[in-house]
């Protein structure tokens, strides 16, 4: 073990349990009204801007962008990422011949030297109408969809071989699964998907859950139940499942998620940025759910800000401090993330400054509430130092990677 310099502390490296790498294109571009729109809009206006970004990416461009995103995560202190991935096909919906988009993400992770769980996502419909009927896919969503749960399963099974080829025995790349949401996966497909998941008990399964009140209303109209209740009646709740966001829940939802041991992935900076709301993290944890953290759309990539925002959100909605102890916050960032992504324990770690203008005088156990990514002095993943003082040891400054990508693609 290396000797730890004075005024630094060794910390188990955080895990980013929820990422959409391509959303990084939108950073700093969605805070004013789009042309012809009144006001800066809501989640649904932002979603249209996200679709525009999704329509532009090729495998080559996606690898370039994801390499920059994963490098930023590494230098900020994240050791692993769950990439919630649904940009499967060509922009017109035709499949690539050999999982080119997924291979691009695997290569990006290996270049950045971050652990990647690729959460390959089933996405089948364009939403639900006011009567609860599935809507057709829009032009951009066609590249997200395999057409049916059965077709998604077939592609997923062949993808496992492709990713094993890309990993080259490093053990850094693994394959998980996701259902985009109950807006995008009709209940009629859940029986087959639940059966498939039960035959893959070691494969983590993720789902966006109750991020917006409109989602709850649409699912209630369609199926006579909340999204959580629909998942419950198909046997999908449990330790294998991670519910992302879980912002707008009933007491029954909280009890079902907690008693089943489902993991919750909170993305506090994104939920604030998109005005989603503040989810009932404390109540979920008290009910038995495991809390983990993710950066989602990468408005911010900083594990310490996600940790801090988890507790600050709780303080804002409750009027009480100390809703999560520093130890609980650290556990969400690390242990909860490993569980969410189906990763075994490892020795990945950070060296964090205890003497910066942010951390000087801070008690070491309270660094989750005082440090930021700027205090990460070094990052060690899989036994190798991959970042030091904000620079990737192989790729240099991630800002330069972004600048090259944006210039090349005229974004």
């Amino acid at each position: 073990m290396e000797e730890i310099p004075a005024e630094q502390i060794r910390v188990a490296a955080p895990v980013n349990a929820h990422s959409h790498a391509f959303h990084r294109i939108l950073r700093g571009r969605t805070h004013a009204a789009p042309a012809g729109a009144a006001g800066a809009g809501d989640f649904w206006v932002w979603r249209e801007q996200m679709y525009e970004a999704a329509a532009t990416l090729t495998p080559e461009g996606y690898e370039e962008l994801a390499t920059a995103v994963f490098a930023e995560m590494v230098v900020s202190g994240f050791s692993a990422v769950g990439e919630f991935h649904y940009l499967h096909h060509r922009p017109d919906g035709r499949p690539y011949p050999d999982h080119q988009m997924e291979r691009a993400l695997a290569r990006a992770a290996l270049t950045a030297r971050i652990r990647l769980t690729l959460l390959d996502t089933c996405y089948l419909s364009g939403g639900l109408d006011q009567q609860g009927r599935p809507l057709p896919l829009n032009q951009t969503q066609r590249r997200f969809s395999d057409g049916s749960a059965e077709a998604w399963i077939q592609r997923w099974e062949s993808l496992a071989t492709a990713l094993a080829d890309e990993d080259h025995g490093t053990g850094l790349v693994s394959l998980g699964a996701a259902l985009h949401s109950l807006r995008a996966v009709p209940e009629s497909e859940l029986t087959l998907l639940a059966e498939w998941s039960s035959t893959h008990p070691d494969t983590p399964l993720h789902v966006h859950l109750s991020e917006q009140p409109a989602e709850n209303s649409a699912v209630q109209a369609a199926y006579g139940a909340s999204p959580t209740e629909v998942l419950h009646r198909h046997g999908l709740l449990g330790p294998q499942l991670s519910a992302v966001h879980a912002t707008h829940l009933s007491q029954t939802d909280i009890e079902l998620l907690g008693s089943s041991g489902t993991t919750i992935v909170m993305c506090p900076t994104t939920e604030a940025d998109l005005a989603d709301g503040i989810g009932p993290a404390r109540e979920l944890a008290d009910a038995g759910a495991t809390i983990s953290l993710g950066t989602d759309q990468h408005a911010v990539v900083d594990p310490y800000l996600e940790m801090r925002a988890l507790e600050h959100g709780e303080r804002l909605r409750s009027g009480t401090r100390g809703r999560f102890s520093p130890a609980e916050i650290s556990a969400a960032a690390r242990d909860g993330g490993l569980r969410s992504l189906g990763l075994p324990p490892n020795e990945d770690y950070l060296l964090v400054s205890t003497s910066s203008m942010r951390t000087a005088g801070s008690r070491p156990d309270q660094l989750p509430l005082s440090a930021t990514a700027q205090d990460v002095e070094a990052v060690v993943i899989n036994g190798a130092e991959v970042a030091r003082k904000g620079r990737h040891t192989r790729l240099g400054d991630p800002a330069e990677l972004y600048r090259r990508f944006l210039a090349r693609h005229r974004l």
Side-chain angles (χ1 to χ4, degrees):
M1 182 183 297
E2 69 172 306
E3 182 178 350
I4 299 174
E7 299 183 326
Q8 293 181 19
I9 188 171
R10 176 171 167 156
V11 176
V15 172
N16 184 352
H18 188 68
S19 161
H20 299 290
F22 78 92
H23 287 191
R24 171 58 181 83
I25 295 173
L26 299 176
R27 185 187 293 174
R29 298 184 174 207
T30 64
H31 301 287
D42 56 12
F43 170 87
W44 306 101
V45 172
W46 171 89
R47 188 177 72 155
E48 293 305 313
Q49 296 168 297
M50 178 268 288
Y51 285 157
E52 291 177 11
T56 68
L57 288 169
T58 64
E60 296 75 18
Y62 205 14
E63 181 175 350
E64 187 179 4
L65 173 61
T67 299
V69 174
F70 294 157
E72 182 183 7
M73 289 181 195
V74 166
V75 303
S76 299
F78 285 114
S79 59
V81 58
E83 181 62 29
F84 198 107
H85 167 68
Y86 48 84
L87 270 67
H88 304 306
H89 306 305
R90 291 184 173 96
D92 63 4
R94 289 181 299 129
Y96 288 103
D98 189 23
H99 307 290
Q100 271 82 348
M101 293 295 272
E102 292 76 22
R103 286 179 180 271
L105 287 168
R107 288 193 296 270
L110 291 172
T111 300
R113 295 193 285 183
I114 194 170
R115 298 184 191 275
L116 169 69
T117 299
L118 183 65
L119 299 163
D120 193 83
T121 302
C122 183
Y123 196 120
L124 303 176
S125 68
L128 297 167
D129 67 16
Q130 292 183 343
Q131 286 71 47
R133 294 170 299 200
L135 292 167
L137 299 162
N138 66 30
Q139 183 173 349
T140 300
Q141 290 169 330
R142 287 187 298 172
R143 77 180 308 186
F144 306 164
S145 180
D146 295 294
S148 69
E150 182 177 7
W152 173 79
I153 289 170
Q154 291 174 353
R155 188 180 54 76
W156 190 97
E157 297 289 353
S158 67
L159 176 57
T161 300
L163 288 190
D165 290 343
E166 291 291 346
D167 181 61
H168 302 299
T170 68
L172 290 176
V173 177
S174 60
L175 180 59
L179 315 178
H180 180 272
S181 63
L182 292 185
R183 292 182 291 106
V185 179
E187 186 179 15
S188 59
E189 301 278 16
L190 289 183
T191 298
L192 176 59
L193 291 166
E195 290 174 354
W196 174 85
S197 183
S198 70
T199 65
H200 295 71
D202 296 327
T203 298
L205 181 67
H206 286 220
V207 62
H208 291 131
L209 185 75
S210 294
E211 182 177 5
Q212 288 284 320
E215 173 191 343
N216 288 351
S217 298
V219 172
Q220 186 73 40
Y223 310 128
S226 72
T228 297
E229 290 168 332
V230 173
L231 294 173
H232 172 65
R233 69 191 181 199
H234 286 274
L236 284 163
L237 301 184
Q240 188 177 357
L241 184 72
S242 289
V244 182
H245 302 304
T247 307
H248 301 281
L249 302 178
S250 69
Q251 186 58 41
T252 297
D253 293 337
I254 293 170
E255 291 169 359
L256 288 171
L257 291 164
S259 63
S260 63
T262 297
T263 297
I264 308 299
V265 186
M266 296 289 187
C267 304
T269 63
T270 285
E271 288 145 11
D273 183 76
L274 297 182
D276 286 341
I278 301 171
R282 182 69 265 170
E283 290 88 340
L284 284 160
D286 289 344
T290 297
I291 305 298
S292 62
L293 297 171
T295 62
D296 194 354
Q297 57 140 345
H298 316 307
V300 175
V301 175
D302 187 325
Y304 284 103
L305 294 189
E306 299 297 344
M307 287 187 255
R308 190 122 75 249
L310 174 68
E311 168 64 11
H312 285 178
E314 283 291 311
R315 293 181 184 187
L316 287 169
R317 74 183 187 89
S318 71
T320 304
R321 302 178 84 227
R323 297 279 285 175
F324 285 93
S325 70
E328 288 177 308
I329 298 169
S330 296
R334 168 71 177 182
D335 300 335
L338 291 174
R339 170 177 164 140
S340 176
L341 301 184
L343 296 175
N346 59 56
E347 297 300 317
D348 300 343
Y349 69 89
L350 315 179
L351 295 181
V352 181
S353 172
T354 58
S355 62
S356 76
M357 62 182 177
R358 291 163 296 279
T359 62
S362 178
R363 294 178 179 174
D365 65 336
Q366 295 190 21
L367 285 174
L369 292 162
S370 58
T372 73
Q374 289 178 281
D375 299 305
V376 175
E377 295 286 333
V379 183
V380 175
I381 300 173
N382 205 30
E385 183 176 286
V386 295
R388 179 165 287 275
K389 294 186 180 296
R391 294 183 64 86
H392 196 280
T393 55
R394 176 184 293 175
L395 300 171
D397 184 355
E400 181 57 30
L401 302 179
Y402 283 130
R403 285 193 290 268
R404 287 203 297 265
F405 169 80
L406 293 167
R408 185 172 291 127
H409 297 275
R410 298 180 180 179
L411 293 171

